[in-house]
Amino acid sequence: MATEKNQAAVSAEAAAAAPTMHDQLVSARIRQRIKAAGVRFHANDNIAAFIKEGELEQLQAEVQSKLAAVLESLVIDVESDHNTQDTAKRVAKMYLNEVFKGRYQVAPPVTEFPNIERLNELMIVGPITVRSACSHHLCPIMGKVWVGVMPNEHSNLIGLSKYARLLEWVMSRPQIQEEAVSQAADLLMQKLQPDGLAIVMEADHFCMHWRGVKDVESKMINSVMRGSFLRDANLRREFLALISQRQRG
């Protein structure tokens, strides 16, 4: 009986000592929600649905404190070095509100219009400038994207600027180029419901420019073809020929 009372007392003490959701770091609270929902949260996933009002500011403060610790571990005297005194704050703000904002913000609003005129000819948008960061080294990725759309009578149409906004939302996360292009294709297929979709991306990867082989000339080009672009070789050739002319011009 005494043993049971002792165990109960220990359990109560442990429960009292355990941090509540409110006491935890904001990143831990967000992570708990994501895991409870059984949702993936890789570097290039959007987690905006799991962030409550006011928590993004708290997360920025947490990231700032941890970046300050990184600078300390790099043996940088941020107290007397005027150049780095606010570096942790600047980098935290940049990551959450600019470079990686596609992880933490909801998708930009996009008005979709019905294809009243039943357009069914190839449309090409680009080159659209995109910026991202390599998820392996967090080095910049800078590139251009071309989008080809083959609409049908049931397709939705969106404004030209919306292609750039949607691509920016996908690219503003730690990415690898192959997955980024596939994510962009999935998003545009969902929004437009076209007969076919083609995306080509050409980019510089600073993880090759700054480190490793330090090759400043190499670029990566990859493409994703969906629907009629995948089935119809002539349509695919027409799209690739037109963007090739644009690149040379």
Side-chain angles (χ1 to χ4, degrees):
M1 189 71 175
T3 303
E4 290 179 359
K5 288 183 178 179
N6 291 339
Q7 289 176 342
V10 170
S11 298
E13 184 179 345
T20 66
M21 283 285 285
H22 181 72
D23 295 331
Q24 290 176 333
L25 292 172
V26 65
S27 61
R29 298 201 302 268
I30 295 169
R31 188 178 293 107
Q32 279 189 8
R33 292 182 203 124
I34 297 171
K35 288 185 173 181
V39 174
R40 198 183 81 164
F41 56 107
H42 289 184
N44 60 357
D45 290 327
N46 179 272
I47 60 170
F50 300 95
I51 299 175
K52 296 183 178 180
E53 185 176 354
E55 286 187 333
L56 198 57
E57 292 79 7
Q58 297 173 36
L59 189 61
Q60 181 177 318
E62 180 184 330
V63 172
Q64 177 181 334
S65 69
K66 293 188 175 183
L67 282 169
V70 170
L71 293 173
E72 183 178 351
S73 294
L74 289 171
V75 199
I76 295 174
D77 183 1
V78 297
E79 293 182 4
S80 60
D81 180 0
H82 60 282
N83 290 317
T84 58
Q85 284 175 352
D86 291 321
T87 294
K89 179 180 180 180
R90 286 190 292 262
V91 174
K93 182 178 179 181
M94 177 187 72
Y95 277 169
L96 270 70
N97 298 308
E98 297 180 272
V99 181
F100 300 151
K101 66 180 181 181
R103 276 182 58 74
Y104 307 106
Q105 297 180 9
V106 297
V110 174
T111 303
E112 301 157 20
F113 304 96
N115 186 6
I116 299 297
E117 297 297 326
R118 300 189 175 186
L119 303 174
N120 63 351
E121 299 293 337
L122 172 61
M123 300 186 301
I124 298 177
V125 182
I128 298 170
T129 300
V130 293
R131 302 166 183 84
S132 189
C134 164
S135 54
H136 296 155
H137 296 94
L138 300 186
C139 288
I141 298 172
M142 309 288 288
K144 304 283 186 181
V145 171
W146 288 261
V147 179
V149 179
M150 180 58 72
N152 58 49
E153 61 183 279
H154 305 296
S155 295
N156 297 319
L157 304 176
I158 63 174
L160 294 180
S161 66
K162 303 306 186 290
Y163 288 92
R165 292 184 187 280
L166 290 171
L167 285 169
E168 181 189 28
W169 184 65
V170 170
M171 296 301 299
S172 296
R173 310 167 192 177
Q175 286 281 13
I176 64 170
Q177 185 171 332
E178 304 93 313
E179 292 179 0
V181 172
S182 182
Q183 281 187 326
D186 290 342
L187 179 61
L188 290 174
M189 284 293 289
Q190 175 190 347
K191 294 288 184 184
L192 301 174
Q193 298 296 312
D195 259 1
L197 181 82
I199 297 182
V200 170
M201 179 174 172
E202 176 184 286
D204 289 300
H205 289 247
F206 282 70
C207 54
M208 286 188 66
H209 296 352
W210 283 354
R211 55 165 300 283
V213 295
K214 296 184 174 68
D215 184 347
V216 298
E217 299 297 328
S218 295
K219 297 179 184 292
M220 181 176 181
I221 302 174
N222 69 314
S223 66
V224 170
M225 305 287 168
R226 300 281 171 83
S228 55
F229 285 94
L230 195 59
R231 299 188 302 267
D232 188 338
N234 290 328
L235 177 61
R236 189 163 60 248
R237 278 194 293 268
E238 179 184 1
F239 168 69
L240 294 173
L242 288 171
I243 67 170
S244 180
Q245 290 176 12
R246 179 66 176 81
Q247 286 174 297
R248 291 197 302 269

